[in-house]
């Protein structure tokens, strides 16, 4: 059963965003984090990951345990290859004009670096918040168990 177009697009955009945060490298994510970010049910998540892998959008490998997986977003490498082929064919035409011009995109690259860093900081904040919530939950459960033991 195929995904709806809206669901497919949502997962592609999610994996593209995460891949950009990791600069196109492989990344490991918890399935629960993907669900939280996309708002998808676990069945939809499994179907989406399977469909994206079949479509060649991502590669999926087992992660550190059954709740995690390693992903590689493949569309970035295809786009990068197309761009490098375009620049290689256009770059040899007019080198002297490019050498005379000041370096373009200096501020753009700094802005991209800053936005990338702020995305990484946001991602880390979310992870810390999730871990803090998990710790608080575990502390509550531990307190309940201690109360039960004291009553005995």
């Amino acid at each position: 059963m195929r995904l709806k177009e809206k669901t497919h697009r949502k997962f592609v955009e999610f994996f593209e965003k995460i891949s950009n945060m990791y600069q196109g490298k492989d990344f490991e994510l918890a399935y629960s984090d993907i669900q939280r970010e996309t708002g998808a049910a676990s069945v939809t998540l499994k179907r989406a990951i399977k469909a994206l892998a079949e479509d060649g959008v991502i590669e999926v490998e087992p992660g550190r345990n059954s709740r995690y997986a390693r992903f590689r977003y493949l569309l970035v490498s295809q786009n990068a290859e197309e761009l490098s082929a375009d620049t290689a064919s256009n770059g040899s035409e007019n080198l002297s004009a490019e050498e005379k011009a000041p370096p373009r995109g200096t501020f753009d690259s700094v802005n991209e670096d800053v936005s990338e860093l702020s995305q990484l900081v946001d991602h880390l904040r979310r992870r810390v918040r999730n871990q803090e919530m998990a710790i608080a939950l575990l502390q509550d459960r531990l307190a309940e168990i201690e109360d039960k033991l004291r009553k005995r």
Side-chain angles (χ1 to χ4, degrees), residues 131-145:
Q131 290 173 352
E132 287 173 344
M133 290 170 50
I135 290 169
L137 181 65
L138 289 172
Q139 287 174 335
D140 289 345
R141 289 184 181 168
L142 182 62
E144 289 173 8
I145 292 171

Side-chain angles (χ1 to χ4, degrees), residues 87-149:
T87 55
S89 64
N90 293 338
S92 61
E93 294 173 0
N94 197 1
L95 290 177
S96 61
E98 290 180 6
E99 290 173 351
K100 293 177 184 177
R104 291 184 292 166
T106 305
F107 293 113
D108 292 339
S109 65
V110 170
N111 285 338
E112 288 175 13
D113 289 343
V114 168
S115 66
E116 188 175 310
L117 285 173
S118 58
Q119 286 178 346
L120 288 171
V121 168
D122 283 346
H123 180 69
L124 288 173
R125 281 185 184 144
R126 277 184 264 137
R127 287 184 63 186
V128 167
R129 183 171 177 258
N130 290 339
Q131 290 173 352
E132 287 173 344
M133 290 170 50
I135 290 169
L137 181 65
L138 289 172
Q139 287 174 335
D140 289 345
R141 289 184 181 168
L142 182 62
E144 289 173 8
I145 292 171
E146 289 174 346
D147 288 344
K148 287 180 183 178
L149 288 175

Side-chain angles (χ1 to χ4, degrees), residues 54-81:
E54 288 173 357
D55 292 345
V57 175
I58 59 173
E59 279 183 5
V60 184
E61 297 174 10
R64 65 182 104 157
N65 60 36
S66 62
R67 295 183 190 124
Y68 288 82
R70 284 193 91 30
F71 297 96
R72 176 183 295 136
Y73 184 67
L74 300 175
L75 294 182
V76 169
S77 60
Q78 292 173 358
N79 291 341
E81 289 171 3

Side-chain angles (χ1 to χ4, degrees), residues 26-48:
D26 293 3
F27 50 92
E28 186 176 60
L29 290 175
Y31 291 117
S32 59
D33 289 341
I34 300 171
Q35 278 184 271
R36 191 175 304 109
E37 290 293 320
T38 60
S42 60
V43 174
T44 305
L45 171 69
K46 291 175 186 175
R47 280 186 28 226

